[in-house]
Amino acid sequence: MKISINRSSIGFWMLYFLMHFSILLVVLVFFRWLWIMIVQPTYTLDFAEMAFESACYSLIVSIFKYISYYIGKKRYEKNPVDRRKNNMFRE
């Protein structure tokens, strides 16, 4: 089953940003917690700092992904290709 998504809408890119934000935040919390357990048990987690880092990284990833989508969309509009035909048996 195919689910069609509209990558041109702002809602898709907000969900994309939030998905990356949450994944990166979980990864940062996990690795900082491991680092604290190994090196400095007296150090406390700074959730605001980790949220800021996660927001910056996810914003950068989302912007680069949107730019590559936009370039690909313009390139396809410039030279549309019929992607439905089978290219294995060209004459």
Side-chain angles (χ1 to χ4, degrees):
M1 182 170 108
K2 244 183 177 181
I3 299 173
S4 64
I5 51 175
N6 185 8
R7 290 182 12 165
S8 297
S9 70
I10 191 71
F12 170 79
W13 293 106
M14 292 301 292
L15 284 174
Y16 191 82
F17 170 78
L18 289 174
M19 180 187 68
H20 278 282
F21 174 76
S22 60
I23 291 170
L24 287 170
L25 187 60
V26 168
V27 168
L28 277 175
V29 167
F30 177 70
F31 280 108
R32 295 261 174 104
W33 177 76
L34 280 177
W35 182 254
I36 288 171
M37 292 295 131
I38 294 170
V39 177
Q40 298 174 342
T42 58
Y43 182 75
T44 59
L45 290 176
D46 187 8
F47 289 108
E49 178 186 354
M50 287 186 286
F52 179 74
E53 288 177 11
S54 178
C56 289
Y57 292 149
S58 58
L59 184 65
I60 289 169
V61 166
S62 299
I63 287 173
F64 280 124
K65 196 68 168 177
Y66 177 75
I67 289 171
S68 67
Y69 162 73
Y70 186 75
I71 290 171
K73 183 176 154 186
K74 289 297 180 182
R75 188 178 295 158
Y76 179 77
E77 288 174 358
K78 184 178 178 183
N79 187 14
V81 177
D82 188 10
R83 298 180 190 273
R84 292 172 293 169
K85 72 179 181 181
N86 189 356
N87 290 330
M88 286 181 63
F89 304 105
R90 280 196 264 178
E91 295 180 5

